[in-house]
Amino acid sequence: MAIWKAANGAPDTPVSEPTAVTIGNFDGVHRGHQSLLAATRAAADGRSTVAITFDPHPVAIFAPDRAPKQLTTLERRVQLLHQHGADHVRILDFTAEMAAWSPDEFVEAVVLDQCQAQAVVVGEGFRYGSRATGSIETLAESGRRHGFTAAEADLAGDGDAFSSTRVREAIAAGDVVAAAAILGRPHEVHGTVVPGDRRGRELGFPTANVPVDDSFAVPPDGVYATRVVMADGTRLPAATSIGTNPTFEGVAGRRVESYVLDRDDLELYDRAITVEFVARLREMVAYDSLDALVEQMHRDVADARAALDT
């Protein structure tokens, strides 16, 4: 059976050279994951490194209603894994059939046959195989039989271990500063700009509108200091609101609406953008008049400018 899926140009063929391998969901590729990748590079001792990740998240197979909100797109996850030290990224096309593999079957099919591993490094508490019966102890035993080393690495932390769960909790609370401290970069929302109701343009604050995808972690309704990142890497300071436009009796579905500071010349419809969240400025409020709303929008822009130091 085919066990890999390709993303962002990642090849789905076996690695032909000896490698050091690390395995995990790697959602967000936060500072704990980055520490694990560094430990894998150290264990590689000059060999290539392979990061093995899963898609979809295993919980989405067993309990779809409990699947965690995603922190990044799959393509962005692959990009970040390469950026933080993985020479190769392999995406396991996770299925119920794969979940039923024994720990030995998983090691032989993935770690050995596909990755030629001579060293395997995993995070603390890593489990694998049917009913999560595989552990660092079973992995080390497989290593002794098959000729690879197995090690468990600390995921680093700030008193508590860095984790994707902590990032999601911070985002859900609107604490994008705390989320960035764990991620090692601002939390991002990706999307394609769609036409809005053009009220922002009429009020002097044209916005790029991105629909909220409920499968991803999006901060709660409110106004944020952000940066809009274009496909070519250009990063523009912005003030971003998330919500349903309560002053105008709401819209269908939540939107991420970004006003790029001092720019009214941008044509972004149908273009993919990334919104980086730097600071939360305030919660969402419904105003009694347009004048009150516009006054607040001017304050939001000033506050965003100060938060972004621009």
Side-chain angles (χ1 to χ4, degrees):
M1 63 177 287
I3 65 173
W4 304 116
K5 63 170 57 175
N8 197 28
D12 55 6
T13 55
V15 180
S16 60
E17 57 190 317
T19 68
V21 170
T22 186
I23 310 166
N25 286 313
F26 296 116
D27 188 19
V29 193
H30 53 66
R31 290 169 62 191
H33 296 143
Q34 295 165 30
S35 177
L36 182 56
L37 288 162
T40 305
R41 289 203 70 82
D45 193 25
R47 295 185 288 262
S48 293
T49 58
V50 181
I52 297 174
T53 188
F54 302 85
D55 188 69
H57 193 290
V59 175
I61 297 297
F62 301 115
D65 58 324
R66 293 193 290 109
K69 300 286 189 181
Q70 298 176 71
L71 297 175
T72 61
T73 63
L74 180 59
E75 292 78 9
R76 179 61 168 151
R77 191 191 321 169
V78 170
Q79 181 185 54
L80 288 166
L81 287 168
H82 282 303
Q83 180 180 316
H84 290 287
D87 296 308
H88 306 277
V89 176
R90 292 292 181 270
I91 305 160
L92 284 175
D93 190 6
F94 197 76
T95 63
E97 180 181 355
M98 184 179 293
W101 288 353
S102 70
D104 279 345
E105 287 175 318
F106 180 89
V107 166
E108 291 177 12
V110 176
V111 175
L112 295 173
D113 292 351
Q114 296 288 322
C115 296
Q116 318 302 321
Q118 294 190 353
V120 180
V121 182
V122 295
E124 291 179 299
F126 173 75
R127 311 292 293 189
Y128 66 103
S130 177
R131 300 183 183 276
T133 51
S135 64
I136 185 59
E137 289 77 22
T138 61
L139 191 61
E141 174 57 31
S142 292
R144 286 189 285 272
R145 287 188 282 110
H146 294 289
F148 64 84
T149 62
E152 193 175 59
D154 187 346
L155 287 183
D158 51 7
D160 294 314
F162 294 132
S163 70
S164 300
T165 297
R166 286 184 61 195
V167 177
R168 292 187 192 99
E169 290 172 348
I171 294 167
D175 193 347
V176 296
V177 173
I182 300 169
L183 288 167
R185 66 183 187 282
H187 176 58
E188 306 164 342
V189 169
H190 306 268
T192 299
V193 177
V194 299
D197 51 28
R198 303 186 74 86
R199 286 200 181 96
R201 184 173 296 276
E202 293 169 2
L203 299 175
F205 299 92
T207 58
N209 304 315
V210 174
V212 169
D213 184 333
D214 286 337
S215 66
F216 287 86
V218 176
D221 290 4
V223 178
Y224 298 80
T226 62
R227 291 186 178 89
V228 170
V229 185
M230 313 300 289
D232 64 1
T234 301
R235 300 165 77 244
L236 303 170
T240 294
S241 68
I242 300 177
T244 58
N245 266 339
T247 299
F248 298 99
E249 299 183 353
V251 296
R254 298 173 72 218
R255 296 186 299 192
V256 177
E257 301 186 67
S258 299
Y259 165 63
V260 176
L261 304 189
D262 306 320
R263 297 290 298 270
D264 59 6
D265 59 331
L266 297 173
E267 293 295 338
L268 300 179
Y269 294 148
D270 297 323
R271 295 177 65 176
I273 64 170
T274 297
V275 180
E276 296 179 342
F277 289 85
V278 176
R280 181 176 170 88
L281 302 178
R282 63 174 177 88
E283 63 185 24
M284 190 61 70
V285 176
Y287 290 90
D288 295 332
S289 69
L290 279 181
D291 287 344
L293 174 61
V294 170
E295 287 179 13
Q296 182 60 59
M297 292 170 76
H298 280 289
R299 288 192 291 269
D300 291 339
V301 167
D303 290 344
R305 199 184 305 279
L308 299 168
D309 193 25
T310 186

